[in-house]
Amino acid sequence: MSELSRHNEIVALVNEKGMVKVTELISYFAISPATARRDITKLDQEGRVKKVRNGIMRLEEVKPIWAPIDNHNTDHYHEKARIAIRAAKLCNNDENIVINCGSTAFLLGRELCGKNVSIITNYFPLACYLIEHDHENVIIMGGLYNKTQNIIINPIVSITDSYAGKWMFTSGKTLTPTGLYKSEILGAVAEQQILEKVENLVVVVDSSKIDKKANSGMLFCPVNKIDILITGKQANKDVIEYIKEQGVEVILV
């Protein structure tokens, strides 16, 4: 048997058993102690097995921390992260938190993961993240999964009566003096179904989305329906002042 073939069989054996002693290798492959030690050292250096006292162990697969967004593929990532951190401070233990789709909303969900709150969401990537990271209370709003938008759309309005929350966090395409606009109509309609079931609506958008008018999209809600706005310090000052005049609490980060 060639060295390469023996090494492949050693790796297969240790993957099957979890751990193999040096004496087992010597007996199983009819090799000398010196050859067994050389094989172990080489396989360990190649990262195919883990060298331990008197033998080798199977390498346990390290599951990467998954997230649909990061600072390499998300515009204004660091500002959105600051917004999420500040938004998370609004939430207290034992509260029901509704989090809708969007990159900033996802970052908020990531901040709340592991804390003593119930998270209600129809955003599939966020639900997957929370479940994979063992968040205690995840409530996924039922309905039809829309692959394009990564959300679950509820076709039956009465079902949303089952959901209620202290806070609802949402984002959108543009926030103007008129209100919050969203580009995905199906998603916006799905969110509107639960809007009246929450105590506080918090809009979390980065400063680039604060503008005097919206060029496109659907009006999700007028400004006077928003309780709190959390955005970046670079947001349009004139629009921010108008929004404040409508009774909205504005938090700049």
Side-chain angles (χ1 to χ4, degrees), residues 205-229:
V205 292
D206 66 80
S207 56
S208 70
K209 295 178 179 177
I210 307 293
D211 207 343
K212 292 183 178 179
K213 63 178 182 178
N215 295 322
S216 62
M218 166 190 169
L219 179 62
F220 173 72
C221 70
V223 165
N224 60 15
K225 284 283 187 181
I226 301 170
D227 295 291
I228 301 174
L229 164 65

Side-chain angles (χ1 to χ4, degrees), residues 2-19:
S2 68
E3 181 184 89
L4 178 59
S5 297
R6 186 173 68 252
H7 284 183
N8 289 338
E9 288 202 27
I10 291 173
V11 173
L13 182 64
V14 76
N15 283 340
E16 178 185 346
K17 300 185 65 175
M19 180 178 178

